[in-house]
Amino acid sequence: CRRYQQLCFCFGTLCVILVLNNDNLTLVSMALKNNITMLTAENHNLTSLNEKLKDQRKNLTEIIETWNGLNVSRAQWSIDQYCPKNNSGRNCTSCQKGWNDHMSSCYAYNYQPPNQRTWEEAREDCRRKNSDLTVVSNQTEKVIEELGINGYWIGLRAVGGKWKWIDGSNLTDQTWTQQQPAIDGYCITSLNGRGWNVAVCSDKNTWICEKKALSV
């Protein structure tokens, strides 16, 4: 006859005695081994995940420290640009050095002949300066633009058969372009005293950037 063994489990004051034979003990042992294997694998996965989280935390900490450093640098740059030092301290202006203040905007004229660019290149230059090609919203701004240099890109080009500003709005006064048809691949330049002219966007011209002026 088979040899039987007893297992005793107690729950508080209640104890239960299980009588198991050798076959059942073998099954219980295998089940425990499987559980141990699974728990070991889970522990390994959790350890690996913990290490990854530590690395991510370290990387995020470095990114935050770098970002904070950049923000401080940018803040200092802004202070130096808009509030340059002089003998009497700092004198703050609405536009940074090299930009012209008009109404609520700042304008930067880029007219050095060696640095002429295509319309896209000119716009990219403006974006690097936290600005964009100028958008003219009324006749007053148009007159100011024409008092600038002899021909420069502005933020107006043909898109889908219409003259569109870079802010997505349509040109409302078609007479500003002398009723020229809007053909894709063409952009607008402003000429001193001669209004606006249609030019191929890949031509190289001077350009003007615009950004909002600060309230000081």
Side-chain angles (χ1 to χ4, degrees):
C1 110
R2 295 180 178 177
R3 184 176 61 180
Y4 288 83
Q5 297 186 18
Q6 295 180 345
L7 293 178
C8 181
F9 300 91
C10 292
F11 305 91
T13 59
L14 176 64
C15 292
V16 178
I17 298 176
L18 297 179
V19 179
L20 301 174
N21 59 28
N22 288 337
D23 291 340
N24 288 339
L25 287 173
T26 301
L27 292 175
V28 170
S29 177
M30 291 177 62
L32 290 174
K33 287 181 180 179
N34 290 335
N35 287 337
I36 292 173
T37 301
M38 292 175 60
L39 290 173
T40 302
E42 289 180 2
N43 182 64
H44 177 74
N45 291 336
L46 288 173
T47 301
S48 299
L49 179 60
N50 185 53
E51 292 299 323
K52 290 181 180 179
L53 290 174
K54 286 182 179 179
D55 291 338
Q56 291 178 0
R57 180 179 180 181
K58 180 181 178 181
N59 292 336
L60 287 174
T61 300
E62 293 176 351
I63 291 173
I64 291 172
E65 291 176 350
T66 301
W67 183 254
N68 288 338
L70 289 174
N71 284 340
V72 171
S73 298
R74 289 172 179 171
Q76 186 62 54
W77 178 87
S78 297
I79 291 173
D80 293 338
Q81 289 292 317
Y82 289 91
C83 303
K85 285 184 178 180
N86 51 42
N87 294 333
S88 59
R90 289 188 181 275
N91 181 30
C92 296
T93 59
S94 299
C95 299
Q96 66 193 80
K97 184 179 180 181
W99 292 69
N100 297 330
D101 182 14
H102 174 67
M103 297 176 69
S104 59
S105 295
C106 302
Y107 299 88
Y109 294 88
N110 304 275
Y111 52 85
Q112 297 82 0
N115 298 325
Q116 292 185 353
R117 301 184 181 184
T118 66
W119 190 90
E120 287 288 354
E121 291 172 344
R123 189 179 187 190
E124 182 60 30
D125 174 76
C126 291
R127 286 173 168 173
R128 285 196 295 267
K129 299 173 180 176
N130 297 319
S131 60
D132 212 330
L133 289 172
T134 184
V135 172
V136 181
S137 59
N138 54 55
Q139 184 66 34
T140 301
E141 287 184 343
K142 183 174 182 293
V143 171
I144 295 298
E145 299 299 324
E146 292 178 356
L147 294 177
I149 56 179
N150 289 324
Y152 51 79
W153 291 123
I154 59 176
L156 185 63
R157 63 175 171 176
V159 178
K162 295 182 179 180
W163 291 114
K164 282 187 172 291
W165 293 104
I166 52 176
D167 61 6
S169 61
N170 293 326
L171 176 65
T172 55
D173 192 341
Q174 299 297 324
T175 61
W176 288 1
T177 60
Q178 299 177 353
Q179 297 182 342
Q180 295 284 348
I183 302 175
D184 288 9
Y186 284 83
C187 299
I188 297 296
T189 61
S190 180
L191 303 175
N192 185 15
R194 289 178 288 165
W196 291 353
N197 187 40
V198 177
V200 179
C201 297
S202 58
D203 288 348
K204 293 196 173 185
N205 289 295
T206 53
W207 68 100
I208 184 170
C209 302
E210 178 184 2
K211 66 169 66 174
K212 288 296 182 182
L214 294 181
S215 299
V216 296

